[in-house]
Amino acid sequence: MKIRDLALGDVRRRLARGELILKVPPFVARLRSDVDRVAEDLLLLYADFELGTPDDFADFHLEVRREGGLRRWVKPMARFFTDGEPAFSPLPAEQGFHMIEWGLNWAVSTMSHPYLSYHAAALERDGRALVMPAPPGSGKSTLSAALAHRGWRLMSDEITLYDLACGQVTGMGRPVNLKNVSVELIRQFAPQAELTRPVPDTARGTLALMKAPAESVARIMASAPPRWIVLPRYTAGAKPKLTDMPKARMLLLLAEQAFNYDLHGSKGFEATADLVDRCDCLEFEYSSLDEGVQRIDELAAQA
């Protein structure tokens, strides 16, 4: 059974009881919330994901709960909980589903250690994975969203998992985080893309989430060997340009972008070095999404 098989009222009831079991391979999350917007966004963004049963084991127990008192009615606020304990400061209830997404990112990055987890996007084409580590504001998520609607399989937008056992890249096929001008850019670039209603005036600006294409979710269990590591950088007016990046520098960057590198000690270093050694390492400057996607497509065709 998939999320899309439920009516909105059923989603709300399951969330209210803490009985919505979401399978986000390789993990399972138990979700609870009394915020209406959470049910609406979940039904849109995770429509193609499998549901578990209330008796299933869950790796993560996540909740977004409305604050009590006057704040329940005047400028409603909500707080994120994991395992029944508050984890973050309250935020406006309209950001309820964003809190679920941020909380799931936090849970995966801090509690899942069979994998090395990196702050990076990952996409796959023809059985080969493209990894894009980048700091906020680099245009990583915008470029990932564009590639996902031009023949690349979206594996991850925020967290790339590197399987220490087999040396493969995997992801969870989850929504892409967009903000500010990127929201309208993707609407224009890919009119078929499904996005949540924008949430304006947040600490990060205007936020929206883009649903992963159904074909990406359908292959969510398929990992891929890494082939390219590309550091994107949006520069207004720039022509798309790929340049080689020294592998030693990329190794340092990936180590900085890893969430649990230090926990793995020498194995973490060796695995990250192996990931870098197996890939072409490049910097990518771009401004136009159309030209940027075309240049990445050319890179894949040349390999």
Side-chain angles (χ1 to χ4, degrees):
M1 188 177 190
K2 297 187 177 181
I3 296 283
R4 65 168 176 252
D5 297 321
L6 298 177
L8 179 58
D10 294 328
V11 175
R12 287 185 174 135
R13 282 188 287 274
R14 291 195 185 206
L15 284 171
R17 296 193 298 259
E19 294 179 353
L20 198 143
I21 312 301
L22 178 65
K23 295 184 177 182
V24 281
F27 308 110
V28 177
R30 180 183 293 271
L31 306 182
R32 179 189 290 270
S33 183
D34 59 358
V35 177
D36 285 346
R37 177 78 190 256
V38 170
E40 296 168 14
D41 289 346
L42 179 68
L43 188 57
L44 170 67
L45 296 168
Y46 284 88
D48 301 312
F49 283 72
E50 296 285 344
L51 280 166
T53 70
D55 294 329
D56 286 346
F57 172 82
D59 299 283
F60 313 121
H61 295 247
L62 312 177
E63 178 181 4
V64 170
R65 186 190 308 167
R66 289 165 66 100
E67 293 280 84
L70 186 62
R71 275 300 195 186
R72 191 168 183 84
W73 312 109
V74 180
K75 295 184 178 179
M77 302 288 283
R79 187 186 292 265
F80 175 80
F81 294 77
T82 179
D83 293 329
E85 297 294 326
F88 307 128
S89 299
L91 289 170
E94 273 289 283
Q95 297 180 48
F97 198 77
H98 289 274
M99 282 190 270
I100 292 283
E101 287 293 295
W102 298 330
L104 184 51
N105 287 341
W106 175 81
V108 169
S109 63
T110 59
M111 302 180 203
S112 176
H113 304 310
Y115 304 91
L116 266 174
S117 55
Y118 301 97
H119 179 213
L123 300 105
E124 175 268 335
R125 190 164 190 171
D126 297 329
R128 300 166 297 177
L130 163 69
V131 178
M132 294 196 296
S138 64
K140 165 185 65 67
S141 293
T142 313
L143 184 57
S144 296
L147 288 167
H149 284 285
R150 289 295 187 274
W152 289 77
R153 173 169 65 100
L154 177 68
M155 302 177 80
S156 181
D157 167 46
E158 288 290 334
I159 299 180
T160 291
L161 302 173
Y162 187 61
D163 193 324
L164 292 168
C166 65
Q168 297 266 83
V169 170
T170 189
M172 294 168 277
R174 291 168 51 213
V176 177
N177 288 277
L178 300 172
K179 56 181 177 291
N180 301 321
V181 296
S182 294
V183 177
E184 188 55 33
L185 278 175
I186 291 301
R187 287 193 189 280
Q188 294 176 8
F189 180 84
Q192 74 276 22
E194 297 183 73
L195 278 69
T196 58
R197 287 183 286 115
V199 181
D201 303 323
T202 77
R204 302 183 185 188
T206 297
L207 305 178
L209 291 158
M210 186 196 85
K211 178 185 177 184
E215 54 270 25
S216 294
V217 179
R219 297 180 57 208
I220 200 170
M221 298 294 291
S223 58
R227 181 62 180 83
W228 308 274
I229 306 175
V230 174
L231 179 64
R233 183 175 70 255
Y234 173 84
T235 302
K239 289 293 183 181
K241 182 181 179 183
L242 280 166
T243 55
D244 290 335
M245 182 172 177
K247 294 201 172 190
R249 186 174 156 219
M250 184 63 82
L251 175 60
L252 290 174
L253 174 68
L254 272 183
E256 291 172 355
Q257 297 296 315
F259 293 107
N260 58 353
Y261 175 89
D262 55 333
L263 294 176
H264 288 283
S266 60
K267 287 185 178 179
F269 172 80
E270 291 166 3
T272 302
D274 177 68
L275 171 58
V276 171
D277 282 342
R278 295 167 64 191
C279 293
D280 292 343
C281 298
L282 304 136
E283 294 182 270
F284 181 46
E285 187 176 30
Y286 78 99
S287 59
S288 162
L289 279 180
D290 282 303
E291 293 178 351
V293 168
Q294 181 180 352
R295 186 66 189 92
I296 295 294
D297 285 346
E298 290 170 354
L299 174 68
Q302 292 165 3

